[in-house]
Structures are given as structure tokens and as C-alpha cells.
Amino acid sequence: MEHHPTPPAPDRRNFLAKAAATVIGGITVVIPAASGLLVLLDPLRRKSADGGAVFVANLAAVPESGEPRKFPVLATRVDAWNRTPDVPVGAVYLQRVAGGAVRALNVACPHAGCFVDFKSARNNYHCPCHNSSFALDGKVLDPKSPSPRPLDTLETEVRNGTEVWVKFRNFRAGVHEKIPV
Amino acid sequence: MKRSPSDDRPVKPLDWLDQRTGYRKLAHEVLFENVPGGARWRYVWGSTLVFCFTIQVITGIALWFAYSPSSQTAWESVYYIQHEMWGGWFLRGLHHYTAQAMTMLLAVHLMQVVIDGAYKAPREFNFWSGIILLCLTLGLSLTGYLLPWDQKGYWATRVATNIVAITPFIGPELQQLVVGGADYGHHTLTRFFALHAGVIPGAIILFIVGHIYFFRRHGLTPKEPRRRPDAAFWPDQVLRDAVACLAVLAVVVFLVIRTRGAELGAPADPSEPFPAARPEWYFLFLFEFLKYFPGGTEVWGAIVIPALLMGLLAAMPFVGNWRLGHRFNVGFLWVMLAGAGWLTWLAIAEDRANPDHAIAVNTAEREARRVIELARSPAGIPPTGAVGLLRNDPLTQGPKLFAKHCASCHRFDGHDGLGGQPKDPASAADLKGFASREWLTGLLDPNRVATPHYFGATKFKAGKMVKYVQEDVAGFPPDDRKLLEKTIVALSAEAGLKSQRDRDRRDTALIVEGKEALVGTRMNCAECHVFHGKGETVGPDLTGYGSRQWLLDFIGNPAHPRFYGDRNDRMPLFGEDKVLPPAELGLLVDWLRGEWFEPAPVAAK
């Protein structure tokens, strides 16, 4: 290693130079960092599309026996720069209930978002990830289930007596309250 | 040639280089570090980790040249690397298995450091930088798992990011930042990729530099008793390190070749269930741990307890100062490892004992293989991405549609299309091979027509057709029996089944004869069926029987006068009542008829 001469101690009175160096140095870092940070934080203002009710299935396709049946939900999906109509954005279980109405449950487990399975042999829903189980109406069956709340019901409407329309939403996982995302 | 300033003698090139760069001193510092007690095998672990990280950087950058992070191109570009590019499968396999090796080696290195007491003062910062490196490496695994954008990565990441959302105070915002919006998509991939290939490796490099600097500052912690005199790092320890790295590489290469590289599942599809979803094996203990936290207490299992354990790990240098501190630390580490091992074993044992999981894994593997066949088909992958390939594939969707809509009455080869058994017994025909010569031969067999395989469980059990077969056909003389066979061939040819194409082509003469017999008096079919404009509409019209259009029309509306009319027995009007959208009806029909893309057989060598 070559030997460099030791520089003289900085002048203690040279406050202006120190302050200017700090400020200028700070600006050169802050401006690019802030511009990056802004783009990094942009997803915070993105909300899930709330497109209102969508047609999911014809009533005839929902078993009269009251057994739930799974249907994909087709809607316009906005994925950053792409807007694609009629693609699956999720899925629901539809089930006929008393009074000619239809119950719709979001297939996503409220625990961590896995796709729950309807088990016809046991007549209940079961999550293949962490073993939460749910009754036909979506209520938590086993109190030890990791799911903090029942399966999420969705608003449904039977139009013209034949078409099942569902207001499809996803909800925050892992919390007791049903909070739309 | 350069000359030294003091005299006229030429300076040797290496001396000149050293004067300008000081490389000799640097090399000396790197290679002649003192190893107290001489070289030992137990000191190799840190070097193997640096080696693994180097492999990851090299293979990762090479993968980067071909990878494209977006929801329409991520799976597609990984498929292309894996199946189309020269040595792509090997490169991806190296990257995949080295990541696994790295996790194991991290555990071993941590154990060695704790057991040897290398975490104690003055090496606290060395230890902490190591803990941070451990967390960063696990972060690499977590972010890398999503990048192929296959079902496995997608569903596992949904779980992981939902866990992020339960972080106290900032959870939902943090999740949104990680996911890149409210839904999973392009920006989830761009963000995970930026973390995986930029931010985390950058941080790892910084911390490795710090880790090695701290290590050099305080020196190696020798394992007592020292068996030999001190020695330099070069060459004995370097040789041991090199052998260990070679062994790691050999294991990795063995795994890559044995498994033909890393797996690639079917493309991510949020509407398609994936019950085989599991995290990478070294996160299984956390996955299993979460099963024990009933609703609302998940934050304890996912965040609080793991954070406390990591805190305890980081506090080891302080704990180690107490009289029994070191023993406590070693015991704590063993308990943690045993606990994680036990939870991992529980997760594996539970899945093994669960037949549903085995079915799920089989389905996942089948779909993964199938989508590759489709991607390699002449049609290839459309610009909208590969996710549509399986959605529009009769071989994949047909069985699912059959199980969902048909199997409550029908069977397919005795099962529900997917290999399961519905709750209720069959109440309509088994449709495997529908309209084929074999299927029709059974239908026209007096011993079989009234079995549940055909009309046995329907109201037609005592109908005209069953009566015709059991009385008229049963009494056919040999000549008529021969003619019946030709009639079957002709009727079956109406379907134009792919599986019979060659036989149909060969039997043109038979088919002509059979067609005439179908409307002739000896077979007498036209008494109840219309065939190409001739005959009576009592039973279904047989023109084009079993063809795509015939099946679309029939399943669409079996109660149409052309088919069963008022006598339709419980069969839903799938098209007329819009139970099935036209596209799904088409997939079901194509599957029943065996019409799907099949790759050309590999030419025999």
C-alpha cells in the first residue's frame, strides 16, 4: 500500500461548507430515492375491481337436491395494463336454499385463501391446506378449524327466474371480520 | 516493457501489476489466513454456502436471460427454458436443487457455529450477519417459488401473502405492496422478481462481505482440542473446502439428472382448485404449525412465535455469557431443529395417509404433463398465455364436466370420469366408448341390454328397444346375426370416431351393406328410428348417431322430438336450459368421442 500524506484536520469554523456538503449530498440521494419510493408505493392506491353483479350460471345448473356446485366466475379482469373480458376471476359454490333462493359462497378459505373443496361424501366443505371444515351454509364446523370466520357469502339474485347473478368479491383472509379487498 | 523509476532495468509485468493494484498482498490475505489447529473438515460449511450462492448467481443470471415476469409470459418463458432451450432443464434444475442444498447447508452451518461456540463475544456481529443471511436466503426461496407462475407457486404464494396481511398494524398495506395491488397478476411477478433477482441477492452480497469481514477480524473459532499446529488457509483448508463444494455439486447434479430438473406445474389459474398446494419442503413445518391455531389466533403461529424464536436465536451471544448459557443455546437449537423436523414429518405423514391428497397430486402431475403436450402442439401457446390451453382441452375438462354434470346418473368405465365413485348408484348408461362398435355390440346383446351398463337403471328397461333386443335379436338366425354385425359397423361409422377411423376406412363395403340393412326389413330399425330420412320417430334419430353434432344436439335437448320427445327419462336439457354453456358442452362431447390433441408418437428407434 502506498503511503498517503495525512490531511490537515478540517477547519472547525468552516460550518458553511459542511452544511452545504450535507444538504447537496442529501439532495442527490433523496430525489432518486423518493422517485423510486413513489412508484414502489403505487399499489397502495389500487383497489380490486368492484364490477357489480355478474351472471354465473343458469338456475337449472344448480342441483335441485340442495347439493352445492362449483362455478367459475367470469368477469372483466384488469391486470395492470391488461383488460380482459370474460375470464375467470374466481369461483363460487352455488346451492339452492329454501324459498327458491340461491346461496353463493366464495371458494377461498377465509384462513389463508386456499380453494376449499366440497366433500359430497361428508356433505361439508374442507380446506385441503390447513384442514378447516365448514357446514353447507358456510359456518365453521370444527371449533379447532384455523379459519377465523365462516365461508364468505356473496350477494345473489335470481333474474328472470332462471339466471343466477352474483356480486363477486374477495375478502381479507385471516381476520374475524369480513372486509372486502 | 516498463522500466522501474530508479534504474534502467525492465520491470517484470507481474511486478508492475502488483505495484498498480497491490494484488499480492490481497491474495496473501485471502489465502494465508491462519487456521488455528490446522485444516479440518468441520470448517468447510461457510465455504460451501458461498459456493452455493455463487452457483445461484451464475444460474440465476443465465435464467434471467430467458425469463419474462408477467402473468402471460412467466409460465410460458419457464416452459420454454425447461423444454425448448438447450440445456434449459439442467440449468433450471441446478438453480432449483442448489437452493434446496443451500437451505440444508445453512442449517448445518448454524449448528456448527452454535455447537463450536463461534457466536460468542467478540463475534456477535458475525453471528447476527449470519442470521440475517439465513433470513435473506429463505426470502430468496419464498420469492423464487412464485416465479414460474404455476399452480403450485401461485397457491402457495397466496397463502404466504395472506399471512403477511395479518401482520399487526401494517398487514393489509404490506400485503398490497408485496402483491403489487389488490389482486395477483403482472405486478406480483415483477415485484417478486425484483426482490428475487435484485434486492435480496444485493443484500446477500453486502452481508456476505460483512460476514467475511467480521470473520477475518476475529479469526476462526478453533475446535478444541487442537490436534495439529496452526496452518495457513492455503492449501490444506482450501483443498477440504473444494472437496466439500464438489460433493455438494455432485449431489445437486445427481438430483437434477435423476428428476430431469425442477418440476413445472400447470399454469396458475385462480378459478381452478389446487388441493395439492404445499409449500417447499423446508417450509412444511411452518405450514403444519398453522394447523394448530384455531380461528383468529393465526398471528401467534405465523408471526409472533416464529419472531420470538428468531429473537431468542439472535440473543444467543448474550445468553452464551451465562454460566450455563452455552449449553442452553445448544439445547435450544436442537429442540428447534427437532421440533421443525417433527412438524415436517407430521405434515408429510398426514398427506400420505390422505387419499384425497394422493388424488390431488396425481391430478396436478397429469395436468402438468398435459399442458406441456399442448404447449408443444402445432397450435402452440397463444399470446394470451398458456392458461387457456387446459381450460380448452377436452381431455382435461371433459372428465371434470362429466363428474360434475353427468355422473350423478351416468358412469364412465364404472367411475365418475375422474376415477371417483358418486354417492348414488348409476341410473343411466355407462358412456365409455359411446357409439363405438364394442359399445353398440353390448347394447344389442340380449344379455347386456338390460344391465345397468345400458338401459338397466332407466325407465327404458322395459321399453321397446330392450324388448327388441331380448326377443327379436335373441332369435336372429346366423345370417341375420351376420347382418346385425354389419349394421353395427354402419351405425358406429356414423359417429366418425377417431379411434375407429382406420377400421371405418377399411370397412367401406361393409358399411354400405350395413346402412341398407339398417332401414331394411330384416333388422327393422326403421320401425322406430329415422335414418337419413327413412323410418319412424319413436326412438332417437340415428342419422349421424354419435357424431359431434348429434351429441351436441342430443345432450343439448334430449327431449327434442328428434330424440326422446316426451319420453325423455330425467335427463336435463343441458343446452336448452343453459345448464352447460356451448363451449363446455363442446368440450364434454369431444371428450366422450375421444377427440383431443395427441402428440405424435415418438418414432421407434
Side-chain angles (χ1 to χ4, degrees):
Chain A
M1 186 72 76
E2 287 172 34
H3 287 284
H4 300 285
T6 314
D11 190 344
R12 293 175 66 189
R13 286 165 302 174
N14 200 353
F15 169 77
L16 208 63
K18 289 179 196 164
T22 310
V23 168
I24 292 170
I27 289 171
T28 55
V29 173
V30 162
I31 290 180
S35 67
L37 193 67
L38 206 62
V39 172
L40 210 63
L41 295 178
D42 173 84
L44 288 177
R45 70 192 180 100
R46 305 285 160 195
K47 294 276 167 272
S48 195
D50 176 17
V54 288
F55 169 77
V56 171
N58 256 41
L59 192 56
V62 186
E64 287 177 12
S65 62
E67 183 166 291
R69 184 168 283 175
K70 175 171 62 79
F71 293 91
V73 176
L74 305 178
T76 300
R77 176 171 150 72
V78 179
D79 181 2
W81 51 87
N82 282 130
R83 193 181 177 85
T84 329
D86 276 339
V87 285
V89 291
V92 291
Y93 282 105
L94 294 183
Q95 183 199 2
R96 291 195 197 227
V97 287
V102 172
R103 176 188 289 135
L105 298 172
N106 193 325
V107 297
C109 180
H111 174 227
C114 291
F115 203 120
V116 295
D117 226 357
F118 173 69
K119 296 282 175 200
S120 63
R122 281 181 263 162
N123 212 27
N124 64 26
Y125 298 97
H126 177 258
C127 179
C129 288
H130 302 99
N131 297 341
S132 291
S133 55
F134 306 91
L136 276 188
D137 61 359
K139 288 212 175 68
V140 176
L141 261 186
D142 181 352
K144 283 192 220 142
S145 288
S147 177
R149 61 169 193 270
L151 287 175
D152 297 312
T153 48
L154 300 163
E155 277 177 51
T156 61
E157 191 189 333
V158 179
R159 293 190 189 170
N160 310 322
T162 57
E163 297 174 351
V164 184
W165 289 64
V166 176
K167 203 166 176 206
F168 184 74
R169 304 284 336 234
N170 283 311
F171 300 88
R172 193 184 297 168
V175 290
H176 288 292
E177 307 78 27
K178 192 174 150 191
I179 307 166
V181 290
Chain B
M1 186 62 71
K2 308 275 179 296
R3 288 177 186 281
S4 71
S6 54
D7 58 45
D8 284 346
R9 277 181 298 131
V11 179
K12 288 178 184 159
L14 285 180
D15 292 341
W16 175 80
L17 189 69
D18 185 45
Q19 272 179 11
R20 295 296 183 273
T21 63
Y23 83 90
R24 280 188 184 131
K25 186 159 184 270
L26 189 71
H28 191 270
E29 269 185 35
V30 170
L31 292 173
F32 294 91
E33 158 85 3
N34 182 42
V35 180
R40 295 184 73 157
W41 285 106
R42 64 187 303 126
Y43 304 148
V44 300
W45 304 111
S47 299
T48 59
L49 279 164
V50 174
F51 171 67
C52 283
F53 181 69
T54 312
I55 296 187
Q56 293 307 71
V57 171
I58 295 168
T59 52
I61 289 175
L63 286 166
W64 192 343
F65 274 92
Y67 175 71
S68 170
S70 86
S71 52
Q72 285 152 357
T73 57
W75 185 92
E76 293 71 8
S77 59
V78 175
Y79 150 77
Y80 200 73
I81 293 170
Q82 180 81 19
H83 294 281
E84 303 292 339
M85 295 181 81
W86 275 353
W89 66 273
F90 189 78
L91 175 70
R92 207 177 143 243
L94 269 187
H95 197 71
H96 177 78
Y97 286 109
T98 305
Q100 323 234 332
M102 214 167 154
T103 313
M104 296 209 68
L105 290 168
L106 271 168
V108 175
H109 186 44
L110 177 66
M111 279 170 66
Q112 175 237 337
V113 163
V114 173
I115 291 169
D116 288 357
Y119 61 89
K120 288 191 219 168
R123 297 185 176 82
E124 294 94 334
F125 279 87
N126 200 3
F127 182 68
W128 291 331
S129 57
I131 299 285
I132 292 170
L133 282 167
L134 169 82
C135 296
L136 288 170
T137 309
L138 292 178
L140 273 187
S141 299
L142 206 68
T143 46
Y145 206 56
L146 173 79
L147 297 182
W149 201 242
D150 58 357
Q151 283 281 67
K152 196 175 67 156
Y154 175 83
W155 289 97
T157 303
R158 268 178 77 122
V159 173
T161 51
N162 276 323
I163 287 170
V164 169
I166 59 166
T167 310
F169 310 114
I170 51 161
E173 288 75 22
L174 197 61
Q175 181 192 29
Q176 206 154 350
L177 283 178
V178 170
V179 169
D183 298 312
Y184 301 84
H186 295 321
H187 274 172
T188 319
L189 280 160
T190 53
R191 284 179 171 248
F192 270 62
F193 187 49
L195 289 172
H196 184 78
V199 178
I200 302 177
I204 286 184
I205 290 171
L206 278 180
F207 278 93
I208 287 181
V209 169
H211 197 63
I212 294 176
Y213 166 75
F214 294 132
F215 169 67
R216 282 300 173 98
R217 185 176 165 83
H218 301 296
L220 191 141
T221 311
K223 174 73 183 165
E224 304 294 350
R226 302 181 195 193
R227 293 183 299 202
R228 273 173 294 170
D230 290 6
F233 185 55
W234 173 264
D236 286 354
Q237 189 60 47
V238 173
L239 177 65
R240 279 173 171 74
D241 288 3
V243 171
C245 293
L246 184 66
V248 170
L249 185 63
V251 171
V252 167
V253 169
F254 170 76
L255 287 170
V256 175
I257 291 173
R258 203 193 140 123
T259 58
R260 266 314 268 184
E263 65 176 317
L264 176 64
D269 188 341
S271 66
E272 200 53 49
F274 190 68
R278 291 292 178 267
E280 195 63 291
W281 64 266
Y282 39 82
F283 288 122
L284 269 181
F285 71 99
L286 268 178
F287 159 83
E288 179 69 18
F289 196 46
L290 289 187
K291 292 182 186 168
Y292 301 98
F293 291 85
T297 58
E298 188 192 5
V299 68
W300 288 91
I303 294 172
V304 179
I305 296 177
L308 284 175
L309 292 176
M310 284 309 277
L312 213 52
L313 193 66
M316 275 189 179
F318 303 127
V319 177
N321 288 336
W322 299 340
R323 201 165 59 85
L324 293 174
H326 180 63
R327 286 193 188 168
F328 172 84
N329 282 339
V330 175
F332 169 69
L333 192 69
W334 278 114
V335 168
M336 276 236 289
L337 285 172
W342 181 64
L343 283 168
T344 307
W345 169 247
L346 278 181
I348 294 170
E350 193 181 315
D351 283 345
R352 273 199 190 155
N354 179 2
D356 288 347
H357 185 73
I359 293 172
V361 170
N362 272 336
T363 308
E365 286 172 355
R366 194 178 55 235
E367 293 191 351
R369 278 194 302 272
R370 178 65 182 160
V371 73
I372 302 301
E373 285 178 0
L374 294 169
R376 303 185 102 168
S377 72
I381 301 172
T384 46
V387 68
L389 294 179
L390 287 179
R391 279 187 199 152
N392 300 321
D393 175 36
L395 181 60
T396 307
Q397 300 306 330
K400 292 181 190 173
L401 290 166
F402 187 88
K404 185 165 151 187
H405 296 284
C406 315
S408 55
C409 299
H410 291 280
R411 293 292 178 277
F412 187 87
D413 203 16
H415 56 80
D416 68 354
L418 292 168
Q421 275 305 328
K423 262 193 302 192
D424 302 319
S427 57
D430 191 308
L431 297 177
K432 166 114 196 272
F434 176 76
S436 67
R437 294 181 187 185
E438 292 71 26
W439 194 87
L440 285 170
T441 306
L443 178 75
L444 289 157
D445 180 343
N447 296 321
R448 286 197 274 167
V449 64
T451 60
H453 202 87
Y454 293 101
F455 286 123
T458 70
K459 78 174 186 186
F460 303 114
K461 186 181 180 180
K464 283 188 177 176
M465 182 70 192
V466 172
K467 211 169 141 197
Y468 165 77
V469 175
Q470 288 184 333
E471 292 173 10
D472 297 16
V473 174
F476 273 174
D479 274 1
D480 283 358
R481 195 157 286 283
K482 278 248 158 58
L483 197 58
L484 178 70
E485 280 169 22
K486 291 175 188 169
T487 312
I488 288 172
V489 169
L491 182 58
S492 184
E494 290 287 297
L497 296 176
K498 197 165 135 185
S499 58
Q500 289 186 172
R501 200 161 288 162
D502 290 343
R503 287 204 278 171
D504 285 348
R505 249 182 234 144
R506 193 187 61 207
D507 297 336
T508 326
L510 276 184
I511 291 167
V512 172
E513 262 186 84
K515 274 186 166 179
E516 280 168 17
L518 229 155
V519 289
T521 49
R522 281 164 70 191
M523 292 296 109
N524 219 10
C525 305
E527 194 177 283
C528 294
H529 296 281
V530 171
F531 188 66
H532 292 286
K534 289 182 193 161
E536 301 294 326
T537 322
V538 179
D541 188 335
L542 297 182
T543 315
Y545 178 79
S547 64
R548 187 170 200 272
Q549 193 56 50
W550 190 93
L551 271 169
L552 285 174
D553 294 346
F554 181 87
I555 301 172
N557 185 2
H560 190 277
R562 230 179 102 200
F563 302 112
Y564 284 120
D566 297 341
R567 288 167 299 107
N568 176 38
D569 181 18
R570 295 165 291 167
M571 176 145 166
L573 318 185
F574 284 97
E576 190 77 6
D577 287 343
K578 295 183 180 145
V579 177
L580 278 174
E584 291 188 359
L585 197 56
L587 288 169
L588 180 65
V589 164
D590 286 341
W591 174 67
L592 283 172
R593 291 172 34 77
E595 287 282 349
W596 56 74
F597 170 76
E598 272 171 297
V602 181
K605 284 184 182 164

